[in-house]
Structure formats: structure tokens, C-alpha cells
């Protein structure tokens, strides 16, 4: 049975993002498993909306990065500035120092800037000018990208893709959901009235519950066999890493809760 707070969260977001229960479940799997999510789909199907609805439904810090080719690593992580009054340098944190980070159109920024997220996504910390800053907990990245248009985009390197627990898509709504969307959202932005129904404490509780979910040995064996098969299959250029085994294991536990 779902925790009441998690059920309220799903209902809250489902009232805004209609007919996308599977995508929402996978998004919450990423949050609960302490991973990150890459949403890849065509424009206008709700990639940004579902991320913003999640942020609005949680009483947690939220920042958004709109990726462009001229975005720099300091625009993401932050920088040190000299304070004349104190005669010292002080750190001005970038948008990455948050609980939920939406990285919109991640493939529109250069690989150098993409790489500024690697340490944050894996180690939950950033290093600027040799000084390390721990990120808040929870820390959850939702990135979006458009797989159709390639002008002015930069392919995500394998190291970046490896930081995402899941890559999901939204898909087009069916006729009934699209009509409901027109009727309910045709006059105003539904996000404006969305209220938070959970906070950082509840997210941490869900994550702790997930860690204690029993996983049968047959599931563990299947995960190992699946990952090892990718390393020897002729159709696979690069087999899954041990990080993938751990990610599948965490995702399986989180799915049991979500």
C-alpha cells in the first residue's frame, strides 16, 4: 500500500498532467531511488510541465536551468566574488544548489557545461575553485531534451547519460484526456493553483522505506544476468556498468513503493 503522503502527491500531479500515470510513476521511481530522470520527447507533450508540477507539489527548493549554447559551468555551479567590506571572497551558489533541479533542453548546452553536472549528480556535491559544497538532501535532477530537432544541439556523452537512472517519454494523450485538458486548462495555467502536499521530510521517509523493501534473490539474479548480457551481445556497443546493476536494483525497490 502506498504511503498516504505519496498517494496525495500522485493525485495532485495527475490532476495537472492528465493520462500520464506510467510516466509519473517512473518519475517518482527516480525521486525515491535517489536517481535522476531524463525525459526525451517531442515539444509540447508535457516534459517541463510534469517536472514543474512535481516541484509545485513538494514543499522543497526548486530551480530551473534553461540550457543554451552560451551557458557556462559557473552559470550552473556558482562562483566566488570578492567582498570589499569583509576583504574576503564569498560564494554565490548557482541553481544547482537546490532540492529539485529542472535542466530544460539539456542537449542545447555545450559538453563543457553539461559536465559541470557530473559531480553534482553522482556525489551530491560541487567543487568550485577547489572548495567543495555539499548539496541539499534530497537532490533530484529532471532533464529534458527533444530527440527530433538537432540544429544547435550537442549529443550527451556516455558519462552524462550514465548519471541518469531512467530515460522516459511522455507520448501524445488519447482523445479523452486531450479533451479534458482543453476543458480544464484552456482558460488558465493549472500550475498557478497547485498546492504543495508533501515536503523534504516525506521524501526522505519514502527513500528510507524503499531501502527496506525486500527483493527476492530471483530478481537480483535477473538483474545480474541482464546487465552481463549487454556486455557480450553483438548488437550492444557498450555494455552496462556495475552502476547500472545498482541502479536497476534501486529502481526495482522504488517501483515496489511507487
Amino acid at each position: 500500500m502506498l504511503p498516504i503522503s505519496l498517494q496525495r502527491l500522485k493525485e495532485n500531479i495527475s490532476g495537472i498532467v492528465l493520462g500520464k500515470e506510467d510516466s509519473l510513476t517512473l518519475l517518482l521511481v527516480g525521486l525515491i531511488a535517489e536517481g535522476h530522470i531524463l525525459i526525451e520527447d517531442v515539444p509540447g507533450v508535457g516534459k517541463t510541465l510534469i517536472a514543474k508540477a512535481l516541484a509545485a507539489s513538494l514543499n522543497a527548493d526548486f530551480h530551473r536551468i534553461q540550457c543554451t549554447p552560451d551557458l557556462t559551468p559557473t552559470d550552473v555551479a556558482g562562483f566566488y566574488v570578492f567582498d570589499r567590506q569583509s576583504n574576503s571572497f564569498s560564494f554565490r551558489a548557482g541553481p544547482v544548489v537546490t532540492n529539485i533541479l529542472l535542466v530544460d533542453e539539456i542537449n542545447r548546452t555545450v559538453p563543457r557545461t553539461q559536465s559541470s553536472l557530473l559531480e553534482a549528480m553522482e556525489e551530491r556535491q560541487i567543487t568550485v575553485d577547489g572548495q567543495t559544497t555539499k548539496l541539499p538532501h534530497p537532490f533530484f535532477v529532471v532533464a529534458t531534451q527533444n530527440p527530433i530537432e538537432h540544429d544547435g544541439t550537442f549529443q550527451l556523452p556516455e558519462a552524462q547519460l550514465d548519471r541518469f537512472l531512467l530515460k522516459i517519454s511522455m507520448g501524445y494523450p488519447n482523445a479523452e484526456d486531450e479533451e479534458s485538458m482543453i476543458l480544464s486548462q484552456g482558460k488558465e495555467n493549472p500550475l498557478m493553483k497547485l498546492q504543495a502536499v508533501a515536503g523534504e521530510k516525506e521524501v526522505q521517509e519514502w527513500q528510507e522505506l524503499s531501502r527496506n523493501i525486500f527483493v527476492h534473490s530471483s530478481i537480483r539474479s535477473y538483474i545480474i544476468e541482464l546487465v552481463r548480457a549487454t556486455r557480450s551481445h553483438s548488437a550492444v556497443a557498450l555494455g552496462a556498468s556495475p552502476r547500472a546493476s545498482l541502479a536497476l536494483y534501486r529502481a526495482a525497490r522504488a517501483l515496489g513503493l511507487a
Side-chain angles (χ1 to χ4, degrees):
M1 179 180 293
L2 285 176
I4 295 176
S5 55
L6 184 55
Q7 181 63 45
R8 284 201 304 263
L9 178 69
K10 295 187 73 171
E11 292 173 353
N12 210 45
I13 300 174
S14 296
I16 301 296
V17 187
L18 304 177
K20 301 299 177 185
E21 285 75 14
D22 291 343
S23 299
L24 174 56
T25 296
L26 292 177
L27 182 69
L28 295 179
V29 164
L31 176 65
I32 296 169
E34 300 181 71
H36 308 288
I37 298 294
L38 175 63
I39 308 177
E40 183 181 76
D41 215 321
V42 298
V45 294
K47 300 188 300 294
T48 303
L49 177 64
I50 195 171
K52 294 178 72 174
L54 172 64
S57 298
L58 288 173
N59 186 20
D61 199 18
F62 169 71
H63 288 158
R64 173 179 177 172
I65 300 173
Q66 185 63 54
C67 292
T68 57
D70 60 349
L71 195 73
T72 67
T74 55
D75 292 328
V76 175
F79 51 89
Y80 280 89
V81 295
F82 184 73
D83 186 343
R84 292 184 178 180
Q85 292 184 344
S86 62
N87 198 33
S88 63
F89 286 90
S90 60
F91 180 61
R92 292 189 178 178
V96 74
V97 183
T98 187
N99 294 122
I100 301 176
L101 179 66
L102 170 59
V103 186
D104 218 0
E105 300 288 354
I106 188 174
N107 57 336
R108 290 200 173 278
T109 193
V110 296
R112 178 169 174 261
T113 304
Q114 291 178 17
S115 66
S116 65
L117 290 167
L118 296 179
E119 181 183 15
M121 294 174 70
E122 179 63 21
E123 301 175 45
R124 268 62 175 182
Q125 65 181 33
I126 54 172
T127 302
V128 179
D129 291 342
Q131 301 296 316
T132 298
T133 301
K134 293 290 185 182
L135 296 177
H137 180 70
F139 174 67
F140 182 46
V141 174
V142 181
T144 72
Q145 68 175 8
N146 173 10
I148 305 300
E149 185 182 8
H150 298 292
D151 292 339
T153 64
F154 304 86
Q155 184 176 359
L156 269 63
E158 293 298 332
Q160 182 70 69
L161 288 172
D162 199 41
R163 295 302 195 273
F164 290 101
L165 177 69
L166 297 170
K167 180 166 71 173
I168 66 178
S169 62
M170 302 293 292
Y172 291 111
N174 59 38
E176 182 180 350
D177 289 328
E178 195 152 11
E179 182 180 14
S180 297
M181 179 184 65
I182 291 172
L183 291 173
S184 62
Q185 303 177 18
K187 293 183 179 180
E188 59 183 357
N189 186 345
L191 287 172
M192 301 301 293
K193 295 183 177 180
L194 202 60
Q195 300 293 321
V197 295
E200 297 176 30
K201 180 181 178 182
E202 284 79 9
V203 174
Q204 293 169 4
E205 289 175 352
W206 304 334
Q207 292 172 345
E208 183 62 29
L209 284 172
S210 174
R211 296 186 197 105
N212 293 315
I213 288 179
F214 171 76
V215 180
H216 195 272
S217 59
S218 62
I219 302 297
R220 296 196 301 270
S221 297
Y222 176 73
I223 291 172
I224 294 171
E225 290 176 8
L226 181 63
V227 170
R228 291 181 63 85
T230 67
R231 299 168 187 169
S232 57
H233 200 286
S234 59
V236 180
L238 180 64
S241 68
R243 181 184 286 136
S245 304
L246 292 169
L248 276 173
Y249 183 70
R250 294 198 305 268
R253 292 186 308 192
L255 185 60
L257 183 65

